[in-house]
Amino acid sequence: LLMFSETDAAVPFKDILETTGMEDKELRVTLQSLACAKLRVLTKKPKGREIEDDDVFVFNKDFTARQLRVKINSIQMKETPEENQSTTERVFQDRQYQID
């Protein structure tokens, strides 16, 4: 969000990726939370739910909130089948030690 305080111009996804140094997948989830959720701090062009490489983001000057503090919920990432399998295996291994 600090990037948008310095400029009124639109910031492309690739510039945000380079400046923040975040992982691609993590940045997409974060931007989706800021631009596509109930509280839209950022506006995304073109509009849509998915974040693409050529998307551009602008600070939403019309954003207002009644509360002094605003909580922005993170959008849940979908697990791939490989991640799901590895999670299941780790849980099984952890349980195995407790049984022994």
Side-chain angles (χ1 to χ4, degrees):
L1 288 176
L2 292 175
M3 287 180 65
F4 296 97
S5 68
E6 298 171 359
T7 181
D8 291 334
V11 181
F13 173 78
K14 291 183 180 183
D15 288 354
I16 298 171
L17 183 65
E18 290 173 11
T19 304
T20 60
M22 294 174 68
E23 290 183 20
D24 184 77
K25 198 173 186 181
E26 184 179 338
L27 180 61
R28 288 179 193 273
V29 171
T30 303
L31 288 174
Q32 195 173 22
S33 298
L34 292 170
C36 303
K38 185 177 178 183
L39 299 174
R40 297 183 181 191
V41 179
L42 301 178
T43 55
K44 173 178 138 0
K45 295 176 187 173
K47 292 189 183 241
R49 296 285 299 162
E50 298 299 319
I51 307 295
E52 302 296 333
D53 290 340
D54 57 344
D55 288 349
V56 177
F57 297 89
V58 180
F59 180 72
N60 183 5
K61 293 184 180 190
D62 297 329
F63 176 77
T64 58
R66 289 182 170 183
Q67 298 87 5
L68 184 61
R69 291 179 140 186
V70 178
K71 182 176 181 182
I72 299 173
N73 294 326
S74 178
I75 293 177
Q76 295 280 331
M77 290 176 42
K78 293 183 180 177
E79 269 190 350
T80 62
E82 296 85 22
E83 290 173 334
N84 193 6
Q85 179 68 27
S86 69
T87 303
T88 305
E89 288 174 4
R90 279 187 276 136
V91 168
F92 180 73
Q93 288 174 355
D94 289 343
R95 289 180 182 165
Q96 187 71 26
Y97 293 124
Q98 289 183 0
I99 292 173
D100 292 341

